[in-house]
Structures are given as C-alpha cells and as structure tokens.
C-alpha cells in the first residue's frame, strides 16, 4: 500500500516538474510587451477581451448583412412596382 502512495506522489511531482514553469508563466522576461502585460494581469481579463472582440465582430457582421438584405428587398420592391406599372400601362393602351 505504501508503494502505491509513493508512486502516486512521484507522478504528481513529475507533472509539476514538467509543466510547472509553463503554468507559472516562466520565460515571459524574453517575451514581447503584450505577452508580459497579459501575464502580469489576471487571465480573466484576457478571456473577457477576446470574448468582447468576438461579440463586436459578430454584431458588425450581422448589421452589415442586415443592411445588404434591406437594400436587396428595396430593389426587389422597386422592380415589382415598375413591372406592375408597366403592365397597367400596357393594359390601358390595349383598352383604348
């Protein structure tokens, strides 16, 4: 039983030694200013910033598509009106 406990603690220590420097943000001294800034602050602000950027881009795309669809709808209505008026004009000329 003691051997199992020793093996488990050794496995945890191995993981900590292998990935500990990555979790602590080691090596940021050589990184760019942006990476240093993000590492110095809580990562929740990074997540918040990225999610806000995604939401603003989605909103921009939706507004842009809505404007294009509205323009196409107006062109279609204008085309229908011009076709209807042309049919009415041809009917008037045929009746006289």
């Amino acid at each position: 039983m003691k051997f199992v406990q020793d093996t488990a603690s050794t496995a945890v220590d191995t993981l900590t030694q292998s990935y500990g420097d990555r979790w602590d943000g080691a090596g940021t001294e050589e990184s760019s200013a942006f990476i240093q800034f993000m590492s110095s602050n809580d990562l929740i602000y990074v997540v918040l910033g990225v999610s806000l950027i995604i939401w603003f881009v989605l909103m921009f795309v939706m507004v842009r598509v809505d404007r294009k669809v509205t323009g196409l709808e107006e062109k279609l209505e204008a085309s229908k009106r011009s076709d209807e008026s042309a049919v009415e004009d041809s009917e008037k000329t045929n009746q006289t």
Side-chain angles (χ1 to χ4, degrees):
M1 182 73 174
K2 180 135 175 97
F3 176 72
V4 174
Q5 291 174 349
D6 290 339
T7 307
S9 65
T10 305
V12 171
D13 290 339
T14 305
L15 288 175
T16 304
Q17 290 172 357
S18 298
Y19 296 104
D21 59 341
R22 294 181 187 171
W23 291 333
D24 291 336
T28 56
E29 295 83 19
E30 303 91 32
S31 302
S32 67
F34 178 74
I35 294 173
Q36 287 179 358
F37 173 75
M38 290 300 169
S39 296
S40 67
N41 294 321
D42 291 334
L43 290 179
I44 189 69
Y45 296 117
V46 176
V47 173
L48 178 65
V50 169
S51 66
L52 285 175
I53 289 170
I54 291 171
W55 281 110
F56 282 127
V57 168
L58 285 174
M59 185 181 296
F60 173 75
V61 169
M62 288 179 63
V63 167
R64 189 170 173 218
V65 167
D66 182 51
R67 287 183 181 169
K68 286 184 177 184
V69 168
T70 302
L72 288 173
E73 288 174 345
E74 290 174 356
K75 284 182 183 179
L76 185 62
E77 288 294 322
S79 171
K80 283 183 180 179
R81 278 189 241 126
S82 66
D83 288 346
E84 288 175 359
S85 64
V87 169
E88 289 175 3
D89 290 342
S90 65
E91 288 177 359
K92 287 180 182 178
T93 56
N94 288 338
Q95 290 178 356
T96 57

